[in-house]
Amino acid sequence: MSVETEDIVTTARRRVTTDEARDRESLEKTWKSPPGLWGWLTTTNHKAIARRYIVTAFIFFLLGGVEAALIRIQLSRPENHFLNPDLYNQVFSMHGTTMMFLFAVPIMEALGLYFVPLMVGTRNVAFPRLNALGYYAYLSGGVMIYVAFFLNIGVDTGWFSYVPLSGPDYSPGKRVDFWAQMITFTEIAALVGAVEIITTAFKMRAPGMSLNRVPLFVWAMVITAFMIIFAMPAVMLSSSMLASDRLISTQFFNPAEGGDALLWQHLFWFFGHPEVYIIFIPATGLVSTLISTFSRREAFGYVALILSLVATGFIGFGLWVHHMFATDVPQLGQSFFTGASVMIAVPSGVQIFCWLATLWAGKLQLRTPMMFILGFIVVFVMGGLTGVMLAAVPLDLQVHDTFFVVAHFHYVLIGGAVFPLFGALHYWMPKWTGRMMSERLGHWTFWLMFIGFNLTFFPMHILGLHGMPRRVYTYLDSLGWGRMNLLATVGAMIIGVSVLLFIINFLQSRRTGIIAGNNPWNAATLEWATSSPPPPYNFVYPPTVRTRSPLWDEGEDAPVVTGLATECREVLVTNMLDAEPDHRYELPGASVWPLALGFGVAVTFIVVIFTPWGIDIGAVLCLIALVGWFWSSIEKKKNLLVEPDREPLEDEL
Amino acid sequence: MMRERAALDVSHLPAHAYGSREPLWWGNLLLLVIEGTMFALALATYFYLRKNFAHWPPPPTPYPELLLPTINLIVILVSLAPAIRVHVLAIREGSQFQIQLALLAEIAFIIAVLTMRFFEFRDLHCYWDTHAYGSITWTLLGLHLLHLVASVCETALLFVWALTHRLDKKHRLDLSLLAIYWYFVVASWVIIYAVVFLGPRLM
């Protein structure tokens, strides 16, 4: 911690007289959204947009869960005909696509979009209108592919649509085109979210929040955002190449003209492996946050935890060929990826031990969020172990494309992401709604999910070792797989009940839950320093911090930031390393242009599936929206304030 | 309700900044990182597909032309001059009229580059659907073309703004970011030109 930081917050000890009521009233007026539907469509409030993401992603989670239930019903007994082969292919493809693209990444990013500004002590994300655009892109893509599914033109080539099956020769029609374009929509949204999170976390932190005082959840989201930036272009490029092979006869994946089927796999998995860490790393941030609160102490090993995340992020880009061990990539290359796949267990292991140390040294509170964290540790470690097994080429070759792999990735994804997510939903629900959820229902939700999950997926390890293949709609009775499959189906139904209980808990507590107040869990981070739910401007006076756990270490009289304008949407920009105040920055208010551009983008990418004129029409709409967006960027404060002028420094070029 | 409290007063701080102090600069930089990653992956694809061919370009497709693309490369490099001028004038609170002139020059350059780009596609001597070589070379040129179109539209928009409004600090920042975006467009083209037009002769 530098001397300058100490000085900033020490000089903040200057006493100032504030008129909180007057400032609050002014902020309320400046930051409120226009009324009604128009206000809803044009809001740039990060909390409103993040809530939208979370609700939409949760609905997709339920849809994906229904698809899972359909798979499980079909597989519950041999030679079942509940779903015909074509419908089965669509259902498992939609299940994977929904869970990976429409639920997991969006909901994790949304938690970041809601809490990063609050945790760093600012009023909004850095680019409020861009944030709104991201949601519209996400919504368009998700709605588009589900409309296609309900019209029986859903994707049927798996969530990763390998060529040549998904190419023009073997998948005629529009099914795969809808999938490829959905990718474009969701990747735009993910990239937008990543840019917001990085810029907000780097440039808009509370004075005194030097990098070594940034909350672990914010670090996790920033690292995730960087991974998104480097990984998403690969899938955008490959899905566009697939769409162009199908629509305008490019030859990227056609071996007859020098194209390469393996090119698809390389490009897809170069994205696809980091994708699972993009889902997992935010969850590690959730785990650190919840473990800290419910052990009543700071997480053990702050620096080790962050370095582990950075290491995971880097190594995660060096793993992708482990999805391709059953292809003809050279053996020496395969060995390299085996090594990297085993090595990545090390930073994950370091994190687990840091968390165990936190639990050991702390005072455990077995509230619902903590139960999910304990469940995470058990389930994720099991999934990690089968992952290390799969990293070995000889074993992978035996169980590739069997249910062993299905078991592995559900253990790491549900254990590693869904359990922490449900813990976080119970934890932050009071901040969103102002009311506590029922502990009793919460514990029931946890135990049913834990038991149901293991009942569903543990047998799949054995089924995989016995050779049951993935993505085949049924199996013969004589193979003897019937009993375990039935067990798995029963487990899936139990998971369904637990999710239902969660929904009941949510609905009930909205009406009759105990009022939460600002900080019902007595937690340490800044989102708990304001009301539940927070006002649109987050804090009347933005906080300053001196430690990693501001609410535990500061008393009532913690210094705050004063002097920001309340007649326009002004925030404080600080410098990157030590968060010293740098300048004031005006954010835009509500705007229709994100909706307009979202519409333009949707028209472009959907119409182009059917005709190249989509580009022309869409380009015009997008151009109009962009001109409007730019032209409406007028600062309110030009008329209000006079600012000191000075020459820019050399390093500002 | 008046209350005395410890506070850090920031009302004396400026309301604008330039360069890496400003969030919008970071947004622009991250966009360039995204686009740069996309180009890098497309270039990797070019070399990946190359290994499927004994001769590159595959016969009967001849080597791509060099004359026009090289002229276009020189033009695009010279177009850095008005861009740098816009950048420096913008952040040093320079003359609005000079900025307008530089923007107009920039637009002229980009239109010239765009026109020649049209012929550069022809100079590849194949189509996007002829074979994988055609697909990837058209993709590289095409992705870059999208950036040229975006640049000319953005420059024209800022030019019209500069004609109809007095430039304030916010819009001067926008001009500086436009210049930085153009530097990226030029730099990425140098690499793509080298790979697509010089590469086959060297490999």
Side-chain angles (χ1 to χ4, degrees), chain A residues 429-464:
Chain A
M429 196 66 73
K431 180 54 60 175
W432 291 327
T433 64
R435 291 177 183 268
M436 307 298 289
M437 294 180 85
S438 154
E439 274 296 303
R440 211 167 65 94
L441 276 177
H443 280 247
W444 270 94
T445 306
F446 167 72
W447 282 111
L448 284 177
M449 193 177 284
F450 186 78
I451 293 169
F453 170 81
N454 281 292
L455 203 57
T456 311
F457 292 101
F458 195 83
M460 292 187 192
H461 292 109
I462 303 170
L463 283 168

mmCIF file of all heavy atoms in Angstrom, chain A residues 429-464:
data_model
loop_
_atom_site.group_PDB
_atom_site.id
_atom_site.type_symbol
_atom_site.label_atom_id
_atom_site.label_comp_id
_atom_site.label_asym_id
_atom_site.label_seq_id
_atom_site.Cartn_x
_atom_site.Cartn_y
_atom_site.Cartn_z
ATOM 1 N N MET A 429 -30.405 -12.190 -2.597
ATOM 2 C CA MET A 429 -31.826 -11.900 -2.746
ATOM 3 C C MET A 429 -32.280 -10.783 -1.810
ATOM 4 O O MET A 429 -33.031 -9.907 -2.224
ATOM 5 C CB MET A 429 -32.651 -13.171 -2.521
ATOM 6 C CG MET A 429 -34.069 -13.058 -3.034
ATOM 7 S SD MET A 429 -34.182 -12.909 -4.828
ATOM 8 C CE MET A 429 -33.775 -14.575 -5.346
ATOM 9 N N PRO A 430 -31.843 -10.794 -0.531
ATOM 10 C CA PRO A 430 -32.241 -9.685 0.354
ATOM 11 C C PRO A 430 -31.803 -8.322 -0.178
ATOM 12 O O PRO A 430 -32.501 -7.332 0.002
ATOM 13 C CB PRO A 430 -31.526 -10.010 1.674
ATOM 14 C CG PRO A 430 -31.288 -11.460 1.637
ATOM 15 C CD PRO A 430 -31.097 -11.826 0.205
ATOM 16 N N LYS A 431 -30.661 -8.252 -0.842
ATOM 17 C CA LYS A 431 -30.198 -6.966 -1.389
ATOM 18 C C LYS A 431 -31.090 -6.559 -2.561
ATOM 19 O O LYS A 431 -31.360 -5.396 -2.777
ATOM 20 C CB LYS A 431 -28.737 -7.087 -1.817
ATOM 21 C CG LYS A 431 -28.104 -5.849 -2.414
ATOM 22 C CD LYS A 431 -28.213 -4.611 -1.544
ATOM 23 C CE LYS A 431 -27.558 -4.760 -0.191
ATOM 24 N NZ LYS A 431 -27.594 -3.458 0.549
ATOM 25 N N TRP A 432 -31.574 -7.544 -3.345
ATOM 26 C CA TRP A 432 -32.400 -7.216 -4.508
ATOM 27 C C TRP A 432 -33.831 -6.871 -4.134
ATOM 28 O O TRP A 432 -34.426 -5.983 -4.716
ATOM 29 C CB TRP A 432 -32.426 -8.422 -5.479
ATOM 30 C CG TRP A 432 -31.131 -8.672 -6.151
ATOM 31 C CD1 TRP A 432 -30.219 -7.740 -6.527
ATOM 32 C CD2 TRP A 432 -30.610 -9.937 -6.535
ATOM 33 N NE1 TRP A 432 -29.153 -8.356 -7.124
ATOM 34 C CE2 TRP A 432 -29.360 -9.701 -7.152
ATOM 35 C CE3 TRP A 432 -31.068 -11.258 -6.441
ATOM 36 C CZ2 TRP A 432 -28.571 -10.728 -7.664
ATOM 37 C CZ3 TRP A 432 -30.282 -12.266 -6.955
ATOM 38 C CH2 TRP A 432 -29.045 -12.002 -7.554
ATOM 39 N N THR A 433 -34.394 -7.655 -3.183
ATOM 40 C CA THR A 433 -35.814 -7.480 -2.889
ATOM 41 C C THR A 433 -36.070 -6.765 -1.567
ATOM 42 O O THR A 433 -37.188 -6.365 -1.301
ATOM 43 C CB THR A 433 -36.523 -8.842 -2.826
ATOM 44 O OG1 THR A 433 -35.963 -9.578 -1.732
ATOM 45 C CG2 THR A 433 -36.331 -9.619 -4.107
ATOM 46 N N GLY A 434 -35.050 -6.667 -0.717
ATOM 47 C CA GLY A 434 -35.257 -6.057 0.595
ATOM 48 C C GLY A 434 -35.808 -7.013 1.630
ATOM 49 O O GLY A 434 -36.072 -6.606 2.756
ATOM 50 N N ARG A 435 -36.001 -8.287 1.244
ATOM 51 C CA ARG A 435 -36.556 -9.254 2.204
ATOM 52 C C ARG A 435 -35.719 -10.524 2.227
ATOM 53 O O ARG A 435 -35.196 -10.956 1.212
ATOM 54 C CB ARG A 435 -37.986 -9.620 1.831
ATOM 55 C CG ARG A 435 -38.969 -8.466 2.017
ATOM 56 C CD ARG A 435 -40.336 -8.907 1.548
ATOM 57 N NE ARG A 435 -41.323 -7.849 1.629
ATOM 58 C CZ ARG A 435 -42.104 -7.627 2.672
ATOM 59 N NH1 ARG A 435 -42.002 -8.386 3.750
ATOM 60 N NH2 ARG A 435 -42.983 -6.645 2.652
ATOM 61 N N MET A 436 -35.645 -11.155 3.408
ATOM 62 C CA MET A 436 -34.912 -12.410 3.552
ATOM 63 C C MET A 436 -35.723 -13.571 2.987
ATOM 64 O O MET A 436 -36.949 -13.556 3.017
ATOM 65 C CB MET A 436 -34.622 -12.688 5.040
ATOM 66 C CG MET A 436 -33.941 -11.562 5.774
ATOM 67 S SD MET A 436 -32.335 -11.193 5.102
ATOM 68 C CE MET A 436 -31.422 -12.633 5.643
ATOM 69 N N MET A 437 -34.995 -14.588 2.509
ATOM 70 C CA MET A 437 -35.669 -15.828 2.091
ATOM 71 C C MET A 437 -35.772 -16.769 3.286
ATOM 72 O O MET A 437 -35.099 -16.576 4.294
ATOM 73 C CB MET A 437 -34.896 -16.503 0.958
ATOM 74 C CG MET A 437 -34.885 -15.676 -0.316
ATOM 75 S SD MET A 437 -33.987 -16.467 -1.648
ATOM 76 C CE MET A 437 -35.235 -17.523 -2.347
ATOM 77 N N SER A 438 -36.603 -17.812 3.132
ATOM 78 C CA SER A 438 -36.803 -18.756 4.232
ATOM 79 C C SER A 438 -35.596 -19.677 4.362
ATOM 80 O O SER A 438 -35.181 -20.313 3.401
ATOM 81 C CB SER A 438 -38.065 -19.582 3.954
ATOM 82 O OG SER A 438 -37.982 -20.830 4.594
ATOM 83 N N GLU A 439 -35.020 -19.746 5.576
ATOM 84 C CA GLU A 439 -33.893 -20.642 5.790
ATOM 85 C C GLU A 439 -34.309 -22.102 5.647
ATOM 86 O O GLU A 439 -33.591 -22.929 5.101
ATOM 87 C CB GLU A 439 -33.299 -20.424 7.190
ATOM 88 C CG GLU A 439 -32.263 -19.322 7.269
ATOM 89 C CD GLU A 439 -31.024 -19.627 6.440
ATOM 90 O OE1 GLU A 439 -30.397 -20.682 6.677
ATOM 91 O OE2 GLU A 439 -30.692 -18.831 5.555
ATOM 92 N N ARG A 440 -35.532 -22.410 6.129
ATOM 93 C CA ARG A 440 -35.991 -23.793 6.109
ATOM 94 C C ARG A 440 -36.100 -24.286 4.674
ATOM 95 O O ARG A 440 -35.561 -25.321 4.298
ATOM 96 C CB ARG A 440 -37.343 -23.913 6.821
ATOM 97 C CG ARG A 440 -37.569 -25.240 7.490
ATOM 98 C CD ARG A 440 -38.753 -25.153 8.425
ATOM 99 N NE ARG A 440 -39.982 -24.892 7.671
ATOM 100 C CZ ARG A 440 -40.812 -25.857 7.246
ATOM 101 N NH1 ARG A 440 -40.547 -27.109 7.513
ATOM 102 N NH2 ARG A 440 -41.885 -25.552 6.574
ATOM 103 N N LEU A 441 -36.806 -23.504 3.828
ATOM 104 C CA LEU A 441 -36.940 -23.880 2.420
ATOM 105 C C LEU A 441 -35.575 -23.905 1.753
ATOM 106 O O LEU A 441 -35.312 -24.743 0.887
ATOM 107 C CB LEU A 441 -37.861 -22.900 1.685
ATOM 108 C CG LEU A 441 -39.359 -23.176 1.792
ATOM 109 C CD1 LEU A 441 -40.143 -22.078 1.078
ATOM 110 C CD2 LEU A 441 -39.697 -24.528 1.198
ATOM 111 N N GLY A 442 -34.699 -22.992 2.142
ATOM 112 C CA GLY A 442 -33.354 -22.930 1.566
ATOM 113 C C GLY A 442 -32.585 -24.211 1.826
ATOM 114 O O GLY A 442 -31.942 -24.771 0.938
ATOM 115 N N HIS A 443 -32.659 -24.708 3.085
ATOM 116 C CA HIS A 443 -31.963 -25.947 3.395
ATOM 117 C C HIS A 443 -32.561 -27.128 2.644
ATOM 118 O O HIS A 443 -31.845 -27.995 2.143
ATOM 119 C CB HIS A 443 -31.976 -26.205 4.910
ATOM 120 C CG HIS A 443 -30.944 -25.414 5.651
ATOM 121 N ND1 HIS A 443 -29.872 -25.998 6.274
ATOM 122 C CD2 HIS A 443 -30.800 -24.080 5.835
ATOM 123 C CE1 HIS A 443 -29.104 -25.047 6.828
ATOM 124 N NE2 HIS A 443 -29.651 -23.884 6.576
ATOM 125 N N TRP A 444 -33.896 -27.158 2.524
ATOM 126 C CA TRP A 444 -34.545 -28.215 1.749
ATOM 127 C C TRP A 444 -34.074 -28.156 0.288
ATOM 128 O O TRP A 444 -33.772 -29.180 -0.325
ATOM 129 C CB TRP A 444 -36.068 -28.070 1.813
ATOM 130 C CG TRP A 444 -36.682 -28.816 2.946
ATOM 131 C CD1 TRP A 444 -36.990 -28.343 4.190
ATOM 132 C CD2 TRP A 444 -37.057 -30.196 2.951
ATOM 133 N NE1 TRP A 444 -37.537 -29.328 4.968
ATOM 134 C CE2 TRP A 444 -37.592 -30.474 4.236
ATOM 135 C CE3 TRP A 444 -37.001 -31.223 2.007
ATOM 136 C CZ2 TRP A 444 -38.063 -31.743 4.581
ATOM 137 C CZ3 TRP A 444 -37.482 -32.475 2.361
ATOM 138 C CH2 TRP A 444 -38.009 -32.720 3.630
ATOM 139 N N THR A 445 -34.034 -26.941 -0.263
ATOM 140 C CA THR A 445 -33.558 -26.770 -1.644
ATOM 141 C C THR A 445 -32.174 -27.368 -1.785
ATOM 142 O O THR A 445 -31.897 -28.126 -2.722
ATOM 143 C CB THR A 445 -33.506 -25.282 -2.026
ATOM 144 O OG1 THR A 445 -34.766 -24.677 -1.795
ATOM 145 C CG2 THR A 445 -33.101 -25.095 -3.479
ATOM 146 N N PHE A 446 -31.282 -27.019 -0.831
ATOM 147 C CA PHE A 446 -29.914 -27.502 -0.931
ATOM 148 C C PHE A 446 -29.852 -29.021 -0.892
ATOM 149 O O PHE A 446 -29.247 -29.660 -1.763
ATOM 150 C CB PHE A 446 -29.033 -26.928 0.179
ATOM 151 C CG PHE A 446 -27.732 -27.652 0.272
ATOM 152 C CD1 PHE A 446 -26.760 -27.479 -0.705
ATOM 153 C CD2 PHE A 446 -27.500 -28.574 1.282
ATOM 154 C CE1 PHE A 446 -25.567 -28.187 -0.668
ATOM 155 C CE2 PHE A 446 -26.308 -29.284 1.330
ATOM 156 C CZ PHE A 446 -25.340 -29.101 0.354
ATOM 157 N N TRP A 447 -30.459 -29.621 0.122
ATOM 158 C CA TRP A 447 -30.294 -31.071 0.285
ATOM 159 C C TRP A 447 -30.906 -31.842 -0.869
ATOM 160 O O TRP A 447 -30.340 -32.817 -1.363
ATOM 161 C CB TRP A 447 -30.856 -31.528 1.626
ATOM 162 C CG TRP A 447 -29.917 -31.216 2.747
ATOM 163 C CD1 TRP A 447 -30.086 -30.293 3.738
ATOM 164 C CD2 TRP A 447 -28.637 -31.800 2.975
ATOM 165 N NE1 TRP A 447 -28.998 -30.273 4.576
ATOM 166 C CE2 TRP A 447 -28.090 -31.181 4.129
ATOM 167 C CE3 TRP A 447 -27.894 -32.799 2.330
ATOM 168 C CZ2 TRP A 447 -26.846 -31.530 4.646
ATOM 169 C CZ3 TRP A 447 -26.648 -33.137 2.837
ATOM 170 C CH2 TRP A 447 -26.133 -32.508 3.981
ATOM 171 N N LEU A 448 -32.083 -31.387 -1.330
ATOM 172 C CA LEU A 448 -32.682 -32.071 -2.480
ATOM 173 C C LEU A 448 -31.802 -31.932 -3.712
ATOM 174 O O LEU A 448 -31.620 -32.876 -4.489
ATOM 175 C CB LEU A 448 -34.081 -31.515 -2.754
ATOM 176 C CG LEU A 448 -35.168 -31.971 -1.795
ATOM 177 C CD1 LEU A 448 -36.491 -31.285 -2.140
ATOM 178 C CD2 LEU A 448 -35.346 -33.479 -1.866
ATOM 179 N N MET A 449 -31.208 -30.747 -3.906
ATOM 180 C CA MET A 449 -30.346 -30.557 -5.064
ATOM 181 C C MET A 449 -29.092 -31.416 -4.954
ATOM 182 O O MET A 449 -28.666 -32.049 -5.922
ATOM 183 C CB MET A 449 -29.961 -29.076 -5.221
ATOM 184 C CG MET A 449 -29.344 -28.784 -6.580
ATOM 185 S SD MET A 449 -28.952 -27.050 -6.836
ATOM 186 C CE MET A 449 -30.566 -26.385 -7.135
ATOM 187 N N PHE A 450 -28.517 -31.464 -3.753
ATOM 188 C CA PHE A 450 -27.284 -32.236 -3.566
ATOM 189 C C PHE A 450 -27.540 -33.726 -3.788
ATOM 190 O O PHE A 450 -26.809 -34.397 -4.522
ATOM 191 C CB PHE A 450 -26.756 -31.972 -2.148
ATOM 192 C CG PHE A 450 -25.430 -32.597 -1.876
ATOM 193 C CD1 PHE A 450 -24.264 -32.024 -2.349
ATOM 194 C CD2 PHE A 450 -25.335 -33.777 -1.132
ATOM 195 C CE1 PHE A 450 -23.027 -32.604 -2.099
ATOM 196 C CE2 PHE A 450 -24.109 -34.355 -0.880
ATOM 197 C CZ PHE A 450 -22.943 -33.776 -1.358
ATOM 198 N N ILE A 451 -28.606 -34.236 -3.157
ATOM 199 C CA ILE A 451 -28.906 -35.657 -3.283
ATOM 200 C C ILE A 451 -29.347 -35.973 -4.709
ATOM 201 O O ILE A 451 -28.864 -36.930 -5.336
ATOM 202 C CB ILE A 451 -29.998 -36.060 -2.272
ATOM 203 C CG1 ILE A 451 -29.432 -35.945 -0.850
ATOM 204 C CG2 ILE A 451 -30.501 -37.469 -2.538
ATOM 205 C CD1 ILE A 451 -30.485 -36.054 0.223
ATOM 206 N N GLY A 452 -30.243 -35.156 -5.231
ATOM 207 C CA GLY A 452 -30.739 -35.382 -6.593
ATOM 208 C C GLY A 452 -29.620 -35.344 -7.610
ATOM 209 O O GLY A 452 -29.532 -36.185 -8.506
ATOM 210 N N PHE A 453 -28.709 -34.370 -7.435
ATOM 211 C CA PHE A 453 -27.601 -34.254 -8.377
ATOM 212 C C PHE A 453 -26.743 -35.522 -8.381
ATOM 213 O O PHE A 453 -26.419 -36.077 -9.435
ATOM 214 C CB PHE A 453 -26.743 -33.029 -8.052
ATOM 215 C CG PHE A 453 -25.475 -33.017 -8.829
ATOM 216 C CD1 PHE A 453 -25.455 -32.580 -10.141
ATOM 217 C CD2 PHE A 453 -24.301 -33.522 -8.280
ATOM 218 C CE1 PHE A 453 -24.286 -32.626 -10.888
ATOM 219 C CE2 PHE A 453 -23.133 -33.567 -9.021
ATOM 220 C CZ PHE A 453 -23.135 -33.118 -10.329
ATOM 221 N N ASN A 454 -26.339 -35.971 -7.191
ATOM 222 C CA ASN A 454 -25.466 -37.149 -7.135
ATOM 223 C C ASN A 454 -26.169 -38.396 -7.647
ATOM 224 O O ASN A 454 -25.574 -39.232 -8.319
ATOM 225 C CB ASN A 454 -24.944 -37.345 -5.714
ATOM 226 C CG ASN A 454 -23.796 -36.402 -5.409
ATOM 227 O OD1 ASN A 454 -22.705 -36.519 -5.969
ATOM 228 N ND2 ASN A 454 -24.045 -35.435 -4.542
ATOM 229 N N LEU A 455 -27.459 -38.497 -7.360
ATOM 230 C CA LEU A 455 -28.229 -39.648 -7.852
ATOM 231 C C LEU A 455 -28.302 -39.655 -9.377
ATOM 232 O O LEU A 455 -28.281 -40.706 -10.017
ATOM 233 C CB LEU A 455 -29.639 -39.581 -7.262
ATOM 234 C CG LEU A 455 -30.423 -40.877 -7.187
ATOM 235 C CD1 LEU A 455 -29.670 -41.916 -6.404
ATOM 236 C CD2 LEU A 455 -31.789 -40.610 -6.535
ATOM 237 N N THR A 456 -28.403 -38.437 -9.949
ATOM 238 C CA THR A 456 -28.500 -38.343 -11.401
ATOM 239 C C THR A 456 -27.167 -38.674 -12.052
ATOM 240 O O THR A 456 -27.100 -39.449 -13.007
ATOM 241 C CB THR A 456 -28.903 -36.923 -11.841
ATOM 242 O OG1 THR A 456 -30.010 -36.490 -11.091
ATOM 243 C CG2 THR A 456 -29.206 -36.867 -13.325
ATOM 244 N N PHE A 457 -26.091 -38.050 -11.573
ATOM 245 C CA PHE A 457 -24.863 -38.058 -12.359
ATOM 246 C C PHE A 457 -23.824 -39.070 -11.916
ATOM 247 O O PHE A 457 -22.948 -39.420 -12.696
ATOM 248 C CB PHE A 457 -24.263 -36.642 -12.416
ATOM 249 C CG PHE A 457 -25.108 -35.690 -13.221
ATOM 250 C CD1 PHE A 457 -25.952 -34.779 -12.593
ATOM 251 C CD2 PHE A 457 -25.095 -35.743 -14.600
ATOM 252 C CE1 PHE A 457 -26.759 -33.935 -13.347
ATOM 253 C CE2 PHE A 457 -25.891 -34.899 -15.357
ATOM 254 C CZ PHE A 457 -26.724 -33.993 -14.734
ATOM 255 N N PHE A 458 -23.886 -39.554 -10.653
ATOM 256 C CA PHE A 458 -22.859 -40.532 -10.299
ATOM 257 C C PHE A 458 -22.969 -41.806 -11.135
ATOM 258 O O PHE A 458 -21.955 -42.298 -11.640
ATOM 259 C CB PHE A 458 -22.856 -40.841 -8.797
ATOM 260 C CG PHE A 458 -21.597 -41.550 -8.420
ATOM 261 C CD1 PHE A 458 -20.442 -40.834 -8.164
ATOM 262 C CD2 PHE A 458 -21.541 -42.941 -8.409
ATOM 263 C CE1 PHE A 458 -19.256 -41.484 -7.884
ATOM 264 C CE2 PHE A 458 -20.359 -43.590 -8.118
ATOM 265 C CZ PHE A 458 -19.210 -42.869 -7.857
ATOM 266 N N PRO A 459 -24.186 -42.349 -11.302
ATOM 267 C CA PRO A 459 -24.287 -43.566 -12.124
ATOM 268 C C PRO A 459 -23.726 -43.388 -13.530
ATOM 269 O O PRO A 459 -23.309 -44.368 -14.165
ATOM 270 C CB PRO A 459 -25.795 -43.821 -12.177
ATOM 271 C CG PRO A 459 -26.346 -43.150 -10.989
ATOM 272 C CD PRO A 459 -25.497 -41.964 -10.757
ATOM 273 N N MET A 460 -23.702 -42.146 -14.024
ATOM 274 C CA MET A 460 -23.226 -41.945 -15.389
ATOM 275 C C MET A 460 -21.745 -42.253 -15.531
ATOM 276 O O MET A 460 -21.279 -42.593 -16.626
ATOM 277 C CB MET A 460 -23.513 -40.516 -15.841
ATOM 278 C CG MET A 460 -24.987 -40.231 -16.004
ATOM 279 S SD MET A 460 -25.227 -38.609 -16.736
ATOM 280 C CE MET A 460 -26.976 -38.399 -16.474
ATOM 281 N N HIS A 461 -20.972 -42.129 -14.433
ATOM 282 C CA HIS A 461 -19.568 -42.541 -14.515
ATOM 283 C C HIS A 461 -19.500 -44.014 -14.901
ATOM 284 O O HIS A 461 -18.742 -44.436 -15.774
ATOM 285 C CB HIS A 461 -18.854 -42.367 -13.169
ATOM 286 C CG HIS A 461 -18.668 -40.942 -12.754
ATOM 287 N ND1 HIS A 461 -19.365 -40.375 -11.724
ATOM 288 C CD2 HIS A 461 -17.838 -39.978 -13.214
ATOM 289 C CE1 HIS A 461 -18.986 -39.116 -11.575
ATOM 290 N NE2 HIS A 461 -18.064 -38.840 -12.463
ATOM 291 N N ILE A 462 -20.336 -44.802 -14.202
ATOM 292 C CA ILE A 462 -20.318 -46.255 -14.412
ATOM 293 C C ILE A 462 -20.870 -46.602 -15.792
ATOM 294 O O ILE A 462 -20.308 -47.437 -16.507
ATOM 295 C CB ILE A 462 -21.120 -46.938 -13.290
ATOM 296 C CG1 ILE A 462 -20.509 -46.529 -11.944
ATOM 297 C CG2 ILE A 462 -21.109 -48.448 -13.464
ATOM 298 C CD1 ILE A 462 -21.320 -46.933 -10.752
ATOM 299 N N LEU A 463 -21.963 -45.929 -16.155
ATOM 300 C CA LEU A 463 -22.544 -46.178 -17.481
ATOM 301 C C LEU A 463 -21.518 -45.878 -18.571
ATOM 302 O O LEU A 463 -21.409 -46.618 -19.555
ATOM 303 C CB LEU A 463 -23.776 -45.290 -17.683
ATOM 304 C CG LEU A 463 -25.041 -45.747 -16.970
ATOM 305 C CD1 LEU A 463 -26.101 -44.652 -17.008
ATOM 306 C CD2 LEU A 463 -25.582 -47.009 -17.613
ATOM 307 N N GLY A 464 -20.757 -44.808 -18.385
ATOM 308 C CA GLY A 464 -19.743 -44.452 -19.371
ATOM 309 C C GLY A 464 -18.652 -45.493 -19.447
ATOM 310 O O GLY A 464 -18.217 -45.876 -20.536
#
